[in-house]
Amino acid sequence: MATPAPTKIHYHKQSRELALTFADGQAFRLSAEYLRIHSPSAEVRGHGMQMPILQFGKKDVAISNVEGAGNYALKISFDDGHDTGLYSWDYLYNIGQNHDELWQMYLDRLEKEGQTRDTSVIQIHQL
């Protein structure tokens, strides 16, 4: 079954959350940080089968622009300069439905790699 298209998309600047309501009634509020760390871009997802590149220090990131990309996706620009990758309806629906699991996996990976969500406390690793 095809993923339904959103019927409503609204960015709440104060809470930095993108609210999406899909045609099947599912609704999600996804934080700018969550969208940024789960960007579908090659810069974040990596190339091929490699592990996605850990994004850290993105707690205070905001969305600077949202625009449609055809009838299938959003192009989201963030105030940290990241603006690559298209968020397809399928992708947004999936990360909305799996928010809690994906968020916990992210927090676990941050801890494992000694990083933080906080922008003012970036950890530098010695090689």
Side-chain angles (χ1 to χ4, degrees), residues 33-96:
E33 178 187 16
Y34 182 74
L35 289 163
R36 175 63 179 85
I37 65 169
H38 287 98
S39 171
S41 70
E43 177 186 329
V44 174
R45 306 296 337 140
H47 298 278
M49 299 300 291
Q50 74 185 55
M51 171 82 84
I53 298 159
L54 180 63
Q55 304 298 299
F56 52 88
K58 302 298 179 188
K59 181 178 180 182
D60 297 322
V61 75
I63 292 174
S64 56
N65 191 44
V66 177
E67 58 187 275
N71 292 322
Y72 67 95
L74 293 177
K75 179 175 175 19
I76 302 175
S77 300
F78 297 89
D79 66 358
D80 68 352
H82 183 74
D83 66 355
T84 59
L86 295 177
Y87 293 77
S88 70
W89 303 151
D90 287 341
Y91 188 75
L92 288 165
Y93 196 90
N94 179 54
I95 65 171

